[in-house]
Amino acid sequence: DAGITQSPRHKVTETGTPVTLRCHQTENHRYMYWYRQDPGHGLRLIHYSYGVKDTDKGEVSDGYSVSRSKTEDFLLTLESATSSQTSVYFCAISESTGGQPQHFGDGTRLSIL
Amino acid sequence: AQRVTQPEKLLSVFKGAPVELKCNYSYSGSPELFWYVQYSRQRLQLLLRHISRESIKGFTADLNKGETSFHLKKPFAQEEDSAMYYCALRKDDYKLSFGAGTTVTVRA
């Protein structure tokens, strides 16, 4: 497996609290992505990054922000978590400009009560 | 709007039988399509892409622009093919749009 580590792997928190998920890669890939996986919706892109400090919105970016201060780290923040953000979150990386993620992390299961 | 439809949420086949996972798309531009697979307790991974015209693990997929389909096929299913499969469409802005997924169970 490619060197992608997501932390935490599981988290339970309450509505209204801030939450930060971390994705760390050791592949030195330029592109990093955050997806959420929900039944009936497949994977939906939240945000992605095409370089350090370069990020852009995906199709479900409302309520989420990201930061990438180093090539290896891509953080996803829920400023004020809501129950609708209960999901499994996947980080992915790619070294090409093609846009398709090549490698995925193990996922973070986030429950917001 | 670009859209990917996987009409089957669940698909059950017997070992050795052919399996076909359907994927239909709507897109006004020139599509690029992919299949991803997630085996139990493993990471989601890219299975194949239409531009490569490759066969991976016995699976093939042909892009049919007339029917706007990219169905995934394997002539003889194996138990290790049991997994969740996602069809995905790459849009002009290079972002991927995924289908809802099909869970395949191959029975002995």
mmCIF file of all heavy atoms in Angstrom, chain B residues 52-93:
data_model
loop_
_atom_site.group_PDB
_atom_site.id
_atom_site.type_symbol
_atom_site.label_atom_id
_atom_site.label_comp_id
_atom_site.label_asym_id
_atom_site.label_seq_id
_atom_site.Cartn_x
_atom_site.Cartn_y
_atom_site.Cartn_z
ATOM 1 N N SER B 52 -6.863 2.919 -21.196
ATOM 2 C CA SER B 52 -5.783 1.938 -21.204
ATOM 3 C C SER B 52 -6.164 0.675 -21.973
ATOM 4 O O SER B 52 -5.294 -0.094 -22.360
ATOM 5 C CB SER B 52 -5.414 1.557 -19.772
ATOM 6 O OG SER B 52 -4.988 2.691 -19.073
ATOM 7 N N ARG B 53 -7.464 0.459 -22.105
ATOM 8 C CA ARG B 53 -7.956 -0.738 -22.812
ATOM 9 C C ARG B 53 -7.298 -2.003 -22.259
ATOM 10 O O ARG B 53 -6.877 -2.886 -23.017
ATOM 11 C CB ARG B 53 -7.712 -0.623 -24.308
ATOM 12 C CG ARG B 53 -8.530 0.461 -24.972
ATOM 13 C CD ARG B 53 -8.368 0.440 -26.480
ATOM 14 N NE ARG B 53 -9.449 1.141 -27.130
ATOM 15 C CZ ARG B 53 -10.587 0.563 -27.485
ATOM 16 N NH1 ARG B 53 -10.784 -0.707 -27.252
ATOM 17 N NH2 ARG B 53 -11.529 1.264 -28.076
ATOM 18 N N GLU B 54 -7.176 -2.045 -20.969
ATOM 19 C CA GLU B 54 -6.476 -3.164 -20.349
ATOM 20 C C GLU B 54 -7.452 -4.130 -19.698
ATOM 21 O O GLU B 54 -8.617 -3.822 -19.498
ATOM 22 C CB GLU B 54 -5.501 -2.629 -19.290
ATOM 23 C CG GLU B 54 -6.200 -1.779 -18.232
ATOM 24 C CD GLU B 54 -5.249 -0.832 -17.504
ATOM 25 O OE1 GLU B 54 -4.025 -1.005 -17.588
ATOM 26 O OE2 GLU B 54 -5.756 0.094 -16.839
ATOM 27 N N SER B 55 -6.926 -5.309 -19.362
ATOM 28 C CA SER B 55 -7.690 -6.290 -18.586
ATOM 29 C C SER B 55 -6.967 -6.473 -17.269
ATOM 30 O O SER B 55 -5.788 -6.822 -17.231
ATOM 31 C CB SER B 55 -7.778 -7.614 -19.346
ATOM 32 O OG SER B 55 -8.388 -8.602 -18.543
ATOM 33 N N ILE B 56 -7.666 -6.188 -16.192
ATOM 34 C CA ILE B 56 -7.075 -6.313 -14.868
ATOM 35 C C ILE B 56 -7.855 -7.347 -14.075
ATOM 36 O O ILE B 56 -9.077 -7.267 -13.975
ATOM 37 C CB ILE B 56 -7.114 -4.967 -14.121
ATOM 38 C CG1 ILE B 56 -6.392 -3.885 -14.910
ATOM 39 C CG2 ILE B 56 -6.505 -5.107 -12.730
ATOM 40 C CD1 ILE B 56 -4.915 -4.069 -15.036
ATOM 41 N N LYS B 57 -7.158 -8.329 -13.552
ATOM 42 C CA LYS B 57 -7.778 -9.402 -12.763
ATOM 43 C C LYS B 57 -8.915 -10.057 -13.533
ATOM 44 O O LYS B 57 -9.902 -10.497 -12.957
ATOM 45 C CB LYS B 57 -8.284 -8.856 -11.419
ATOM 46 C CG LYS B 57 -7.178 -8.282 -10.568
ATOM 47 C CD LYS B 57 -7.680 -7.843 -9.207
ATOM 48 C CE LYS B 57 -6.510 -7.286 -8.399
ATOM 49 N NZ LYS B 57 -6.904 -6.893 -7.030
ATOM 50 N N GLY B 58 -8.791 -10.101 -14.858
ATOM 51 C CA GLY B 58 -9.787 -10.748 -15.692
ATOM 52 C C GLY B 58 -10.961 -9.858 -16.054
ATOM 53 O O GLY B 58 -11.841 -10.254 -16.801
ATOM 54 N N PHE B 59 -10.986 -8.631 -15.524
ATOM 55 C CA PHE B 59 -12.048 -7.687 -15.816
ATOM 56 C C PHE B 59 -11.714 -6.843 -17.042
ATOM 57 O O PHE B 59 -10.571 -6.453 -17.237
ATOM 58 C CB PHE B 59 -12.276 -6.735 -14.635
ATOM 59 C CG PHE B 59 -13.010 -7.339 -13.484
ATOM 60 C CD1 PHE B 59 -12.326 -7.817 -12.381
ATOM 61 C CD2 PHE B 59 -14.400 -7.411 -13.490
ATOM 62 C CE1 PHE B 59 -13.005 -8.370 -11.308
ATOM 63 C CE2 PHE B 59 -15.087 -7.952 -12.419
ATOM 64 C CZ PHE B 59 -14.392 -8.441 -11.325
ATOM 65 N N THR B 60 -12.730 -6.551 -17.826
ATOM 66 C CA THR B 60 -12.612 -5.615 -18.925
ATOM 67 C C THR B 60 -13.798 -4.674 -18.891
ATOM 68 O O THR B 60 -14.846 -4.994 -18.308
ATOM 69 C CB THR B 60 -12.584 -6.325 -20.289
ATOM 70 O OG1 THR B 60 -13.801 -7.095 -20.427
ATOM 71 C CG2 THR B 60 -11.380 -7.235 -20.421
ATOM 72 N N ALA B 61 -13.617 -3.525 -19.504
ATOM 73 C CA ALA B 61 -14.716 -2.569 -19.609
ATOM 74 C C ALA B 61 -14.552 -1.818 -20.912
ATOM 75 O O ALA B 61 -13.466 -1.324 -21.201
ATOM 76 C CB ALA B 61 -14.711 -1.604 -18.428
ATOM 77 N N ASP B 62 -15.614 -1.753 -21.680
ATOM 78 C CA ASP B 62 -15.583 -1.056 -22.958
ATOM 79 C C ASP B 62 -16.478 0.171 -22.902
ATOM 80 O O ASP B 62 -17.633 0.084 -22.467
ATOM 81 C CB ASP B 62 -16.044 -1.981 -24.083
ATOM 82 C CG ASP B 62 -15.051 -3.097 -24.356
ATOM 83 O OD1 ASP B 62 -13.844 -2.804 -24.341
ATOM 84 O OD2 ASP B 62 -15.489 -4.244 -24.538
ATOM 85 N N LEU B 63 -15.922 1.268 -23.362
ATOM 86 C CA LEU B 63 -16.703 2.497 -23.423
ATOM 87 C C LEU B 63 -17.588 2.456 -24.654
ATOM 88 O O LEU B 63 -17.099 2.308 -25.774
ATOM 89 C CB LEU B 63 -15.764 3.697 -23.478
ATOM 90 C CG LEU B 63 -16.422 5.066 -23.595
ATOM 91 C CD1 LEU B 63 -17.314 5.324 -22.386
ATOM 92 C CD2 LEU B 63 -15.380 6.157 -23.738
ATOM 93 N N ASN B 64 -18.867 2.567 -24.471
ATOM 94 C CA ASN B 64 -19.837 2.592 -25.558
ATOM 95 C C ASN B 64 -20.476 3.982 -25.567
ATOM 96 O O ASN B 64 -21.386 4.269 -24.788
ATOM 97 C CB ASN B 64 -20.901 1.509 -25.357
ATOM 98 C CG ASN B 64 -21.849 1.389 -26.530
ATOM 99 O OD1 ASN B 64 -22.220 2.387 -27.156
ATOM 100 N ND2 ASN B 64 -22.252 0.181 -26.836
ATOM 101 N N LYS B 65 -19.974 4.826 -26.446
ATOM 102 C CA LYS B 65 -20.453 6.207 -26.469
ATOM 103 C C LYS B 65 -21.891 6.293 -26.956
ATOM 104 O O LYS B 65 -22.641 7.174 -26.549
ATOM 105 C CB LYS B 65 -19.541 7.068 -27.329
ATOM 106 C CG LYS B 65 -18.148 7.257 -26.715
ATOM 107 C CD LYS B 65 -17.311 8.235 -27.527
ATOM 108 C CE LYS B 65 -15.945 8.420 -26.878
ATOM 109 N NZ LYS B 65 -15.106 9.384 -27.638
ATOM 110 N N GLY B 66 -22.271 5.376 -27.813
ATOM 111 C CA GLY B 66 -23.641 5.394 -28.318
ATOM 112 C C GLY B 66 -24.656 5.117 -27.224
ATOM 113 O O GLY B 66 -25.708 5.755 -27.157
ATOM 114 N N GLU B 67 -24.332 4.182 -26.353
ATOM 115 C CA GLU B 67 -25.225 3.832 -25.246
ATOM 116 C C GLU B 67 -24.827 4.552 -23.959
ATOM 117 O O GLU B 67 -25.455 4.320 -22.926
ATOM 118 C CB GLU B 67 -25.200 2.318 -25.023
ATOM 119 C CG GLU B 67 -25.747 1.512 -26.198
ATOM 120 C CD GLU B 67 -25.782 0.023 -25.929
ATOM 121 O OE1 GLU B 67 -25.354 -0.400 -24.835
ATOM 122 O OE2 GLU B 67 -26.225 -0.719 -26.821
ATOM 123 N N THR B 68 -23.797 5.367 -24.037
ATOM 124 C CA THR B 68 -23.234 6.080 -22.861
ATOM 125 C C THR B 68 -23.075 5.114 -21.684
ATOM 126 O O THR B 68 -23.598 5.335 -20.588
ATOM 127 C CB THR B 68 -24.079 7.304 -22.464
ATOM 128 O OG1 THR B 68 -25.414 6.892 -22.139
ATOM 129 C CG2 THR B 68 -24.092 8.330 -23.563
ATOM 130 N N SER B 69 -22.345 4.036 -21.950
ATOM 131 C CA SER B 69 -22.154 3.027 -20.916
ATOM 132 C C SER B 69 -20.684 2.648 -20.812
ATOM 133 O O SER B 69 -19.903 2.819 -21.761
ATOM 134 C CB SER B 69 -22.998 1.785 -21.219
ATOM 135 O OG SER B 69 -22.525 1.116 -22.369
ATOM 136 N N PHE B 70 -20.339 2.112 -19.645
ATOM 137 C CA PHE B 70 -18.979 1.638 -19.387
ATOM 138 C C PHE B 70 -19.116 0.452 -18.433
ATOM 139 O O PHE B 70 -18.710 0.493 -17.300
ATOM 140 C CB PHE B 70 -18.139 2.761 -18.784
ATOM 141 C CG PHE B 70 -16.679 2.437 -18.627
ATOM 142 C CD1 PHE B 70 -15.912 2.031 -19.708
ATOM 143 C CD2 PHE B 70 -16.050 2.575 -17.396
ATOM 144 C CE1 PHE B 70 -14.561 1.741 -19.573
ATOM 145 C CE2 PHE B 70 -14.694 2.295 -17.236
ATOM 146 C CZ PHE B 70 -13.955 1.874 -18.330
ATOM 147 N N HIS B 71 -19.707 -0.603 -18.918
ATOM 148 C CA HIS B 71 -19.994 -1.760 -18.080
ATOM 149 C C HIS B 71 -18.722 -2.568 -17.826
ATOM 150 O O HIS B 71 -17.903 -2.777 -18.711
ATOM 151 C CB HIS B 71 -21.041 -2.662 -18.736
ATOM 152 C CG HIS B 71 -22.328 -1.967 -19.045
ATOM 153 N ND1 HIS B 71 -22.832 -0.935 -18.270
ATOM 154 C CD2 HIS B 71 -23.228 -2.165 -20.048
ATOM 155 C CE1 HIS B 71 -23.961 -0.525 -18.776
ATOM 156 N NE2 HIS B 71 -24.241 -1.245 -19.862
ATOM 157 N N LEU B 72 -18.620 -3.090 -16.632
ATOM 158 C CA LEU B 72 -17.464 -3.903 -16.219
ATOM 159 C C LEU B 72 -17.858 -5.375 -16.313
ATOM 160 O O LEU B 72 -18.888 -5.772 -15.766
ATOM 161 C CB LEU B 72 -17.067 -3.550 -14.775
ATOM 162 C CG LEU B 72 -15.836 -4.240 -14.202
ATOM 163 C CD1 LEU B 72 -14.569 -3.755 -14.905
ATOM 164 C CD2 LEU B 72 -15.727 -3.951 -12.700
ATOM 165 N N LYS B 73 -16.989 -6.163 -16.955
ATOM 166 C CA LYS B 73 -17.350 -7.559 -17.183
ATOM 167 C C LYS B 73 -16.220 -8.498 -16.817
ATOM 168 O O LYS B 73 -15.041 -8.144 -16.939
ATOM 169 C CB LYS B 73 -17.699 -7.774 -18.676
ATOM 170 C CG LYS B 73 -18.805 -6.919 -19.195
ATOM 171 C CD LYS B 73 -18.989 -7.130 -20.690
ATOM 172 C CE LYS B 73 -20.015 -6.170 -21.246
ATOM 173 N NZ LYS B 73 -20.191 -6.316 -22.713
ATOM 174 N N LYS B 74 -16.620 -9.689 -16.408
ATOM 175 C CA LYS B 74 -15.653 -10.760 -16.193
ATOM 176 C C LYS B 74 -16.344 -12.069 -16.563
ATOM 177 O O LYS B 74 -17.456 -12.326 -16.093
ATOM 178 C CB LYS B 74 -15.185 -10.787 -14.735
ATOM 179 C CG LYS B 74 -14.076 -11.818 -14.490
ATOM 180 C CD LYS B 74 -13.442 -11.652 -13.115
ATOM 181 C CE LYS B 74 -12.305 -12.649 -12.929
ATOM 182 N NZ LYS B 74 -11.601 -12.455 -11.636
ATOM 183 N N PRO B 75 -15.724 -12.886 -17.388
ATOM 184 C CA PRO B 75 -16.412 -14.091 -17.878
ATOM 185 C C PRO B 75 -16.638 -15.161 -16.812
ATOM 186 O O PRO B 75 -17.635 -15.866 -16.857
ATOM 187 C CB PRO B 75 -15.517 -14.590 -19.005
ATOM 188 C CG PRO B 75 -14.181 -13.973 -18.759
ATOM 189 C CD PRO B 75 -14.434 -12.690 -18.058
ATOM 190 N N PHE B 76 -15.716 -15.249 -15.851
ATOM 191 C CA PHE B 76 -15.830 -16.296 -14.830
ATOM 192 C C PHE B 76 -15.514 -15.689 -13.457
ATOM 193 O O PHE B 76 -14.349 -15.485 -13.127
ATOM 194 C CB PHE B 76 -14.863 -17.450 -15.126
ATOM 195 C CG PHE B 76 -14.987 -18.002 -16.516
ATOM 196 C CD1 PHE B 76 -14.060 -17.679 -17.496
ATOM 197 C CD2 PHE B 76 -16.046 -18.833 -16.856
ATOM 198 C CE1 PHE B 76 -14.166 -18.175 -18.778
ATOM 199 C CE2 PHE B 76 -16.163 -19.342 -18.145
ATOM 200 C CZ PHE B 76 -15.227 -19.010 -19.112
ATOM 201 N N ALA B 77 -16.526 -15.395 -12.697
ATOM 202 C CA ALA B 77 -16.325 -14.745 -11.402
ATOM 203 C C ALA B 77 -15.650 -15.682 -10.399
ATOM 204 O O ALA B 77 -15.892 -16.896 -10.394
ATOM 205 C CB ALA B 77 -17.675 -14.286 -10.850
ATOM 206 N N GLN B 78 -14.809 -15.104 -9.574
ATOM 207 C CA GLN B 78 -14.133 -15.831 -8.503
ATOM 208 C C GLN B 78 -14.568 -15.256 -7.153
ATOM 209 O O GLN B 78 -14.983 -14.095 -7.060
ATOM 210 C CB GLN B 78 -12.621 -15.705 -8.652
ATOM 211 C CG GLN B 78 -12.086 -16.195 -9.987
ATOM 212 C CD GLN B 78 -12.399 -17.660 -10.215
ATOM 213 O OE1 GLN B 78 -12.196 -18.494 -9.324
ATOM 214 N NE2 GLN B 78 -12.905 -17.993 -11.399
ATOM 215 N N GLU B 79 -14.425 -16.049 -6.111
ATOM 216 C CA GLU B 79 -14.846 -15.576 -4.791
ATOM 217 C C GLU B 79 -14.093 -14.325 -4.376
ATOM 218 O O GLU B 79 -14.646 -13.452 -3.693
ATOM 219 C CB GLU B 79 -14.666 -16.692 -3.760
ATOM 220 C CG GLU B 79 -15.648 -17.835 -3.931
ATOM 221 C CD GLU B 79 -15.459 -18.915 -2.899
ATOM 222 O OE1 GLU B 79 -15.855 -18.701 -1.750
ATOM 223 O OE2 GLU B 79 -14.922 -19.989 -3.253
ATOM 224 N N GLU B 80 -12.851 -14.211 -4.789
ATOM 225 C CA GLU B 80 -12.065 -13.029 -4.417
ATOM 226 C C GLU B 80 -12.503 -11.762 -5.140
ATOM 227 O O GLU B 80 -11.990 -10.677 -4.855
ATOM 228 C CB GLU B 80 -10.570 -13.267 -4.662
ATOM 229 C CG GLU B 80 -10.216 -13.679 -6.076
ATOM 230 C CD GLU B 80 -10.122 -15.194 -6.225
ATOM 231 O OE1 GLU B 80 -10.824 -15.925 -5.492
ATOM 232 O OE2 GLU B 80 -9.341 -15.640 -7.088
ATOM 233 N N ASP B 81 -13.445 -11.889 -6.043
ATOM 234 C CA ASP B 81 -13.989 -10.707 -6.724
ATOM 235 C C ASP B 81 -15.068 -10.020 -5.892
ATOM 236 O O ASP B 81 -15.552 -8.942 -6.252
ATOM 237 C CB ASP B 81 -14.573 -11.086 -8.082
ATOM 238 C CG ASP B 81 -13.518 -11.613 -9.039
ATOM 239 O OD1 ASP B 81 -12.373 -11.137 -8.960
ATOM 240 O OD2 ASP B 81 -13.852 -12.508 -9.846
ATOM 241 N N SER B 82 -15.460 -10.648 -4.804
ATOM 242 C CA SER B 82 -16.454 -10.028 -3.931
ATOM 243 C C SER B 82 -15.903 -8.716 -3.389
ATOM 244 O O SER B 82 -14.831 -8.696 -2.770
ATOM 245 C CB SER B 82 -16.798 -10.966 -2.760
ATOM 246 O OG SER B 82 -17.415 -12.141 -3.225
ATOM 247 N N ALA B 83 -16.613 -7.647 -3.632
ATOM 248 C CA ALA B 83 -16.109 -6.309 -3.268
ATOM 249 C C ALA B 83 -17.160 -5.263 -3.612
ATOM 250 O O ALA B 83 -18.199 -5.572 -4.187
ATOM 251 C CB ALA B 83 -14.814 -6.000 -4.036
ATOM 252 N N MET B 84 -16.825 -4.023 -3.287
ATOM 253 C CA MET B 84 -17.638 -2.873 -3.714
ATOM 254 C C MET B 84 -16.947 -2.268 -4.925
ATOM 255 O O MET B 84 -15.731 -2.012 -4.884
ATOM 256 C CB MET B 84 -17.743 -1.849 -2.586
ATOM 257 C CG MET B 84 -18.368 -0.535 -3.005
ATOM 258 S SD MET B 84 -20.150 -0.648 -3.220
ATOM 259 C CE MET B 84 -20.673 -0.119 -1.596
ATOM 260 N N TYR B 85 -17.708 -2.004 -5.970
ATOM 261 C CA TYR B 85 -17.154 -1.456 -7.205
ATOM 262 C C TYR B 85 -17.796 -0.100 -7.502
ATOM 263 O O TYR B 85 -19.012 0.053 -7.433
ATOM 264 C CB TYR B 85 -17.419 -2.398 -8.382
ATOM 265 C CG TYR B 85 -16.671 -3.707 -8.288
ATOM 266 C CD1 TYR B 85 -17.147 -4.753 -7.490
ATOM 267 C CD2 TYR B 85 -15.485 -3.908 -8.992
ATOM 268 C CE1 TYR B 85 -16.465 -5.950 -7.398
ATOM 269 C CE2 TYR B 85 -14.797 -5.105 -8.910
ATOM 270 C CZ TYR B 85 -15.287 -6.126 -8.102
ATOM 271 O OH TYR B 85 -14.605 -7.310 -8.011
ATOM 272 N N TYR B 86 -16.943 0.852 -7.849
ATOM 273 C CA TYR B 86 -17.418 2.191 -8.185
ATOM 274 C C TYR B 86 -17.002 2.540 -9.607
ATOM 275 O O TYR B 86 -15.836 2.382 -9.983
ATOM 276 C CB TYR B 86 -16.811 3.249 -7.258
ATOM 277 C CG TYR B 86 -17.287 3.208 -5.840
ATOM 278 C CD1 TYR B 86 -16.518 2.601 -4.849
ATOM 279 C CD2 TYR B 86 -18.500 3.797 -5.479
ATOM 280 C CE1 TYR B 86 -16.947 2.575 -3.541
ATOM 281 C CE2 TYR B 86 -18.925 3.773 -4.162
ATOM 282 C CZ TYR B 86 -18.155 3.161 -3.203
ATOM 283 O OH TYR B 86 -18.577 3.136 -1.900
ATOM 284 N N CYS B 87 -17.945 3.059 -10.346
ATOM 285 C CA CYS B 87 -17.663 3.621 -11.661
ATOM 286 C C CYS B 87 -17.459 5.124 -11.475
ATOM 287 O O CYS B 87 -18.128 5.754 -10.633
ATOM 288 C CB CYS B 87 -18.859 3.359 -12.588
ATOM 289 S SG CYS B 87 -18.650 3.944 -14.268
ATOM 290 N N ALA B 88 -16.532 5.714 -12.221
ATOM 291 C CA ALA B 88 -16.262 7.143 -12.052
ATOM 292 C C ALA B 88 -16.004 7.791 -13.397
ATOM 293 O O ALA B 88 -15.431 7.186 -14.307
ATOM 294 C CB ALA B 88 -15.062 7.346 -11.126
ATOM 295 N N LEU B 89 -16.430 9.035 -13.503
ATOM 296 C CA LEU B 89 -16.310 9.823 -14.725
ATOM 297 C C LEU B 89 -15.431 11.034 -14.443
ATOM 298 O O LEU B 89 -15.668 11.761 -13.475
ATOM 299 C CB LEU B 89 -17.710 10.282 -15.173
ATOM 300 C CG LEU B 89 -17.809 11.374 -16.220
ATOM 301 C CD1 LEU B 89 -17.393 10.848 -17.582
ATOM 302 C CD2 LEU B 89 -19.237 11.916 -16.290
ATOM 303 N N ARG B 90 -14.448 11.232 -15.291
ATOM 304 C CA ARG B 90 -13.626 12.432 -15.122
ATOM 305 C C ARG B 90 -14.170 13.536 -15.995
ATOM 306 O O ARG B 90 -14.372 13.357 -17.199
ATOM 307 C CB ARG B 90 -12.168 12.168 -15.476
ATOM 308 C CG ARG B 90 -11.271 13.333 -15.087
ATOM 309 C CD ARG B 90 -9.834 12.971 -15.199
ATOM 310 N NE ARG B 90 -9.368 13.019 -16.581
ATOM 311 C CZ ARG B 90 -8.155 12.638 -16.960
ATOM 312 N NH1 ARG B 90 -7.312 12.160 -16.073
ATOM 313 N NH2 ARG B 90 -7.790 12.718 -18.208
ATOM 314 N N LYS B 91 -14.387 14.672 -15.334
ATOM 315 C CA LYS B 91 -14.985 15.801 -16.003
ATOM 316 C C LYS B 91 -13.909 16.740 -16.573
ATOM 317 O O LYS B 91 -12.730 16.554 -16.326
ATOM 318 C CB LYS B 91 -15.897 16.544 -15.026
ATOM 319 C CG LYS B 91 -16.983 15.633 -14.432
ATOM 320 C CD LYS B 91 -17.872 16.351 -13.457
ATOM 321 C CE LYS B 91 -17.224 16.452 -12.090
ATOM 322 N NZ LYS B 91 -18.178 16.999 -11.093
ATOM 323 N N ASP B 92 -14.346 17.757 -17.294
ATOM 324 C CA ASP B 92 -13.416 18.695 -17.925
ATOM 325 C C ASP B 92 -12.501 19.381 -16.927
ATOM 326 O O ASP B 92 -11.373 19.733 -17.253
ATOM 327 C CB ASP B 92 -14.187 19.762 -18.706
ATOM 328 C CG ASP B 92 -14.744 19.188 -19.990
ATOM 329 O OD1 ASP B 92 -14.195 18.184 -20.470
ATOM 330 O OD2 ASP B 92 -15.730 19.744 -20.510
ATOM 331 N N ASP B 93 -13.016 19.589 -15.700
ATOM 332 C CA ASP B 93 -12.191 20.260 -14.706
ATOM 333 C C ASP B 93 -11.295 19.278 -13.972
ATOM 334 O O ASP B 93 -10.736 19.600 -12.931
ATOM 335 C CB ASP B 93 -13.079 21.026 -13.710
ATOM 336 C CG ASP B 93 -14.083 20.096 -13.017
ATOM 337 O OD1 ASP B 93 -14.051 18.874 -13.250
ATOM 338 O OD2 ASP B 93 -14.902 20.617 -12.235
#
